[in-house]
Amino acid sequence: MVSCVFSNFLKRAMELEASENEHSFIFVDEAGFNLAKTCRRGRNLIGKRATVDVPGQRGANITMCAAISSDGLQLQKAGIGPYNTERLIAFIDELHERLTAGEVDRQNSPTFVIVWDNVAFHHSRQVTGWFAAHPRMMSLFLPPYSPFLNHNEEFFSAWRWKVYDHRPQDQMSLLEAMAAGCMDIAPEDIQAWIRHAKRFDPRCMARETIRCDVDKYVAKCGG
């Protein structure tokens, strides 16, 4: 059970959407993968066991950071090991360059709102300073324990199944499968996840209690 205390977050998001200055929402999150992660369900002939060959070595953990919006995947970067402040700043630097590239009329260009969770390095002094130095970018933190409001949860759930389909057998093929899996997700899918999350808005604004088991939610999404 998660007590619904998300009305302030939704009010702020709605204020930005209704502002005279255009705001574009970009959803950023990180997810890990390694060769030991394989699909645990399959199909075979009746009476026959479904089997699949898996790598003998787990390999190092690889973390993917992805930025999505209603226009689709904006940027994805994968690397060995966990994300930290330094890698995150490099990511949002590149994201900023992509979002603002080719702009002619900067005065009427939108402000980009990075929506993400409350992991510690998202709140670091360096990251806060980066946003202060980039006025076209702003940060909006999701409420704690709110997977139903985080579109990246569904993105990464779908993405993992795409990675399984490529059946990577070594670290290089895993990196390629992770990138290819992102490319296999259409903007229409992301738009549908955003619409699905908005269905919770009235209940959150009414401060209702929402029962949400995080593990069950992710499993329902295919994770």
Side-chain angles (χ1 to χ4, degrees):
M1 179 185 295
V2 179
S3 179
C4 188
V5 292
F6 311 127
S7 59
N8 289 339
F9 165 80
L10 292 174
K11 285 179 180 177
R12 180 56 176 155
M14 291 176 181
E15 288 173 357
L16 294 174
E17 287 181 332
S19 172
E20 291 185 3
N21 298 322
E22 183 183 355
H23 288 77
S24 178
F25 291 84
I26 313 293
F27 305 90
V28 174
D29 203 357
E30 305 87 19
F33 213 97
N34 62 58
L35 290 170
K37 292 188 177 181
T38 59
C39 182
R40 300 187 180 276
R41 289 180 289 174
R43 294 181 180 180
N44 209 340
L45 296 174
I46 295 176
K48 301 290 185 179
R49 183 185 296 273
T51 61
V52 63
D53 294 330
V54 299
Q57 299 294 321
R58 170 193 175 104
N61 287 333
I62 297 177
T63 305
M64 167 80 75
C65 187
I68 62 175
S69 73
S70 58
D71 294 325
L73 177 68
Q74 298 292 336
L75 178 64
Q76 58 84 13
K77 300 285 284 186
I80 297 173
Y83 255 69
N84 54 26
T85 297
E86 182 180 355
R87 292 177 67 178
L88 180 66
I89 289 178
F91 181 88
I92 56 180
D93 261 335
E94 184 172 345
L95 179 62
H96 175 265
E97 290 179 7
R98 291 197 178 198
L99 293 173
T100 59
E103 289 184 341
V104 178
D105 185 5
R106 291 181 177 270
Q107 185 174 357
N108 296 317
S109 297
T111 297
F112 298 100
V113 184
I114 303 299
V115 183
W116 50 14
D117 61 24
N118 285 271
V119 68
F121 60 85
H122 290 173
H123 288 274
S124 71
R125 183 179 302 175
Q126 296 95 318
V127 172
T128 301
W130 185 92
F131 278 98
H134 295 78
R136 289 281 309 284
M137 309 285 283
M138 64 178 296
S139 179
L140 181 63
F141 290 99
L142 287 160
Y145 310 111
S146 57
F148 46 87
L149 296 179
N150 187 352
H151 315 315
N152 295 79
E153 293 279 357
E154 297 191 77
F155 174 84
F156 281 127
S157 292
W159 166 74
R160 285 190 175 95
W161 285 103
K162 303 293 185 182
V163 176
Y164 292 148
D165 290 343
H166 288 272
R167 298 185 178 180
Q169 295 294 311
D170 54 39
Q171 199 166 77
M172 183 58 67
S173 62
L174 175 57
L175 284 166
E176 293 172 352
M178 292 169 72
C182 287
M183 298 301 106
D184 289 341
I185 298 175
E188 293 77 15
D189 296 325
I190 299 174
Q191 292 161 9
W193 298 330
I194 293 174
R195 290 195 300 271
H196 177 264
K198 286 185 175 295
R199 293 171 56 189
F200 288 94
D201 288 2
R203 297 178 63 188
C204 292
M205 293 297 293
R207 295 182 179 272
E208 292 184 21
T209 295
I210 297 176
R211 296 179 181 272
C212 182
D213 184 297
V214 174
D215 293 333
K216 290 182 179 179
Y217 177 86
V218 173
K220 183 179 179 181
C221 293

